[in-house]
């Protein structure tokens, strides 16, 4: 399926991250996946949101200035970070115990595909592309209370990333609850995809035309 | 008198033989026992099965161990890093084995081994390629897979502080897999940045009690480098 001829004004990655961040309530414990999801931390403003990193940290703060780097403090993406006052450190079993035990309010993940039943594909393109690696994606997908996916609505070639059934290898079954794309916000419900919000100037029909599964009105 | 300190890396790695299954602490380069890894490479041990979150990623002497074919198989969640294609090349050429495990399942399998739990059910990986071929059961309405405890012959770990009883503490993100691996191996070998007297760490500060630790070597090598 290729993209319809009309060209939409789409959100930037930063705008997508800001749109998602606007929906995170104060007090939530949140894990941000590697890549675009990490941008979300820049947009929670004054709300106290506690960010988790898989390598055993709660209360992750912003990136340090070069002169203030603490060499023993990295995130799961192996970048230097800071800790907020109130932060805590723990071992990898506790770190994944809090994910798998359903204590984490939200995981924000990237995605290759999300199916209308909430299935997520985000760890492998199947063709042994760069050697397999999974990290914590399957634990986050199966364990967090909410799984929100932040991704472009379509692939570079215009194919819908919101599908009736995933074609790439699955990460987790039926776990995605909401999708933030560069044109829309879509809830994943027992009835399938429900349009919740659109980017400025984008209509329901625009979103449906770029979605290979059925889109429902809220 | 109990004294688990050994004089050097060579003594720390005594009786680590070919065909050994090794757990390696660390997440990225933080909490990674670099000098024990150097010692392992220098000793020329071969036929290694390496269990580590980033086994295969090119940190320190991991490169030598991979290049010389000393590692037969890795068990890990993320066997690659942005700076190197070494593991991916070996894997593509069929020169190294890989058991890919979701990171939380890896941690829990290690913890289970440490705590005497032979196997457990988890929803992680159910219905995916990494859950394929494993016993499945629906529990409370969710599909789960049976995962086995993961044991090793030897654990190589890094601590921030250690005393002669083998009590350990870790620094910030340096904790990661180190405490859980301490209890999952028959022989647990630790390199520590700081050697402290008994009682210098208060009981509340000890993160890994010495019961899990067999040998400690004091190596004040300084900060990790990404």
């Amino acid at each position: 399926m290729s993209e319809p001829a009309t060209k939409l004004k789409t959100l930037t990655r930063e705008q997508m991250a800001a749109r998602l961040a606007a929906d995170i309530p104060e007090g939530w414990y949140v894990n941000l996946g590697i890549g675009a999801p990490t941008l979300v931390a820049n947009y929670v403003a004054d709300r106290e949101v506690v960010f988790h990193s898989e390598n055993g940290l709660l209360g992750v703060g912003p990136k340090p200035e070069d002169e203030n780097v603490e060499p023993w403090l990295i995130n799961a993406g192996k970048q230097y970070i800071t800790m907020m006052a109130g932060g805590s450190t723990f071992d990898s079993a506790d770190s994944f115990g809090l994910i798998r035990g359903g204590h984490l309010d939200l995981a924000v993940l990237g995605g290759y595909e999300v199916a209308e039943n909430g299935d997520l594909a985000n760890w492998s393109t199947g063709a042994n592309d760069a050697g397999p690696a999974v990290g914590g994606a399957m634990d986050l997908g199966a364990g967090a209370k909410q799984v929100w996916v932040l991704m472009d609505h379509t692939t570079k070639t215009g194919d819908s990333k919101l599908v009736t059934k995933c074609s790439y290898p699955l990460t987790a079954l039926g776990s995605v609850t909401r999708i933030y794309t560069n044109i829309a916000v879509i809830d994943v419900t027992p009835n399938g995809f429900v349009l919740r919000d659109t980017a400025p100037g984008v209509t329901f029909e625009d979103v449906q035309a770029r979605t290979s599964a059925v889109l429902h009105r809220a | 008198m109990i004294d688990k300190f050994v004089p050097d890396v060579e003594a720390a790695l005594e009786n680590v033989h070919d065909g050994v299954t090794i757990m390696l602490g660390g997440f990225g380069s933080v909490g990674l026992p670099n000098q024990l890894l150097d010692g392992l490479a220098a000793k020329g041990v071969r036929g290694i099965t390496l269990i580590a979150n980033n086994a295969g990623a090119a940190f320190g002497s991991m490169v030598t161990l991979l290049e010389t074919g000393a590692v037969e198989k890795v068990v890990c969640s993320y066997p690659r890093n942005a700076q190197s294609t070494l593991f991916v090349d070996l894997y593509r050429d069929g020169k190294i084995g890989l058991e890919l495990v979701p990171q939380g399942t890896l941690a829990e399998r290690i913890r289970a081994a440490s705590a005497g739990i032979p196997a457990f059910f988890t929803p992680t990986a159910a219905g995916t390629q990494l859950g394929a071929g494993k016993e499945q059961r629906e529990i409370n309405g969710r599909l789960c897979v049976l995962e086995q405890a993961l044991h090793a012959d030897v654990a190589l770990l890094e601590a921030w502080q250690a005393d002669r009883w083998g009590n350990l503490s870790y620094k910030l993100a340096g904790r990661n897999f180190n405490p859980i691996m301490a209890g999952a191996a028959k022989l647990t070998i630790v390199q520590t940045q700081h050697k402290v007297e008994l009682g210098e760490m208060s009981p509340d500060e000890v993160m890994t009690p010495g019961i899990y630790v067999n040998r400690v070597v004091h190596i004040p090598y300084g900060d990790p480098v990404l």
Side-chain angles (χ1 to χ4, degrees):
Chain A
M1 179 174 140
S2 53
E3 194 164 343
T6 50
K7 192 91 177 122
L8 292 181
K9 192 172 184 310
T10 57
L11 300 182
T12 64
R13 278 175 16 134
E14 286 72 19
Q15 288 169 328
M16 290 161 65
R19 177 64 191 81
L20 186 150
D23 290 342
I24 300 177
E26 183 160 64
W28 271 22
Y29 291 84
V30 177
N31 182 290
L32 301 176
I34 294 169
T38 57
L39 296 171
V40 169
N42 300 334
Y43 299 101
V44 292
D46 295 337
R47 277 164 289 156
E48 284 196 332
V49 174
V50 183
F51 290 108
H52 170 256
S53 185
E54 289 96 313
N55 54 325
L57 313 168
L58 271 173
V60 174
K63 210 173 102 174
E65 301 298 324
D66 284 348
E67 61 273 22
N68 294 327
V69 163
E70 163 54 72
W72 292 83
L73 213 43
I74 60 168
N75 63 13
K78 301 172 186 80
Q79 298 160 316
Y80 290 122
I81 50 158
T82 56
M83 292 290 278
M84 309 291 282
S88 53
T89 58
F90 33 86
D91 70 44
S92 297
D94 281 346
S95 189
F96 279 88
L98 74 83
I99 297 170
R100 293 153 66 105
H103 305 280
L104 198 66
D105 293 296
L106 171 66
V108 182
L109 302 174
Y112 296 141
E113 289 173 326
V114 177
E116 59 189 358
N117 67 351
D119 286 358
L120 170 65
N122 82 343
W123 74 280
S124 164
T125 52
N128 189 18
D129 43 352
V134 66
M138 289 189 179
D139 307 287
L140 288 161
K145 288 180 194 166
Q146 301 280 330
V147 177
W148 293 355
V149 171
L150 184 70
M151 66 179 188
D152 285 342
H153 204 90
T154 57
T155 64
K156 287 194 177 76
T157 54
D159 291 323
S160 174
K161 296 175 75 169
L162 286 72
V163 296
T164 51
K165 191 173 186 299
C166 293
S167 59
Y168 288 130
L170 292 179
T171 303
L173 303 180
S175 64
V176 177
T177 49
R178 196 180 288 167
I179 309 162
Y180 292 80
T181 78
N182 51 352
I183 57 170
V185 180
I186 293 122
D187 280 329
V188 184
T189 75
N191 299 322
F193 292 133
V194 176
L195 185 66
R196 182 188 179 88
D197 193 12
T198 58
V202 174
T203 66
F204 176 91
E205 288 73 22
D206 292 330
V207 180
Q208 178 64 82
R210 287 159 181 80
T211 305
S212 65
V214 174
L215 190 65
H216 301 279
R217 292 178 196 270
Chain B
M1 182 172 109
I2 301 168
D3 188 0
K4 297 183 181 177
F5 276 94
V6 295
D8 52 32
V9 168
E10 203 186 328
L13 294 174
E14 200 184 318
N15 298 322
V16 177
H17 294 302
D18 288 0
V20 68
T21 295
I22 295 179
M23 278 180 186
L24 185 68
F27 188 102
S29 59
V30 179
L32 183 72
N34 287 289
Q35 281 66 31
L36 290 175
L37 205 52
D38 292 347
L40 189 69
K43 198 175 159 80
V45 178
R46 299 188 63 80
I48 299 168
T49 296
L50 193 61
I51 301 166
N53 187 53
N54 301 109
F59 295 109
S61 281
M62 195 104 72
V63 175
T64 314
L65 289 167
L66 291 172
E67 278 177 349
T68 57
V71 179
E72 216 160 71
K73 182 186 170 188
V74 299
V75 181
C76 68
S77 84
Y78 211 85
R80 61 179 198 228
N81 59 352
Q83 292 79 33
S84 167
T85 61
L86 179 57
F87 176 83
V88 174
D89 295 341
L90 289 169
Y91 180 70
R92 271 199 185 140
D93 295 346
K95 289 180 177 161
I96 196 161
L98 169 66
E99 182 183 345
L100 193 66
V101 186
Q103 193 173 156
T105 295
L106 181 66
E108 193 61 16
R109 288 177 64 192
I110 295 167
R111 195 194 71 82
S114 173
I117 297 165
F120 58 90
F121 279 102
T122 176
T124 296
T128 76
Q129 283 180 0
L130 300 188
K134 289 173 182 165
E135 188 179 330
Q136 298 197 1
R137 190 180 298 180
E138 196 175 301
I139 300 175
N140 298 328
R142 284 197 85 179
L143 190 63
C144 297
V145 292
L146 185 67
E147 296 284 358
Q148 306 287 327
L150 191 58
H151 297 266
D153 300 313
V154 173
L156 302 181
L157 310 178
E158 192 211 26
W160 179 247
Q161 291 180 303
D163 64 26
R164 64 177 173 82
W165 280 16
N167 294 309
L168 310 177
S169 74
Y170 310 92
K171 180 162 175 169
L172 295 171
R175 195 175 330 184
N176 57 70
F177 283 84
N178 284 297
I180 53 174
M181 287 177 169
K186 288 179 211 140
L187 174 64
T188 293
I189 306 171
V190 180
Q191 72 170 72
T192 183
Q193 292 270 351
H194 301 283
K195 179 179 184 174
V196 299
E197 295 302 318
L198 286 187
E200 226 175 300
M201 279 185 277
S202 81
D204 287 341
E205 285 170 322
V206 173
M207 297 175 186
T208 296
I211 187 168
Y212 298 119
V213 175
N214 301 100
R215 299 174 188 163
V216 186
V217 57
H218 180 208
I219 302 171
Y221 78 85
D223 292 330
V225 178
L226 284 192

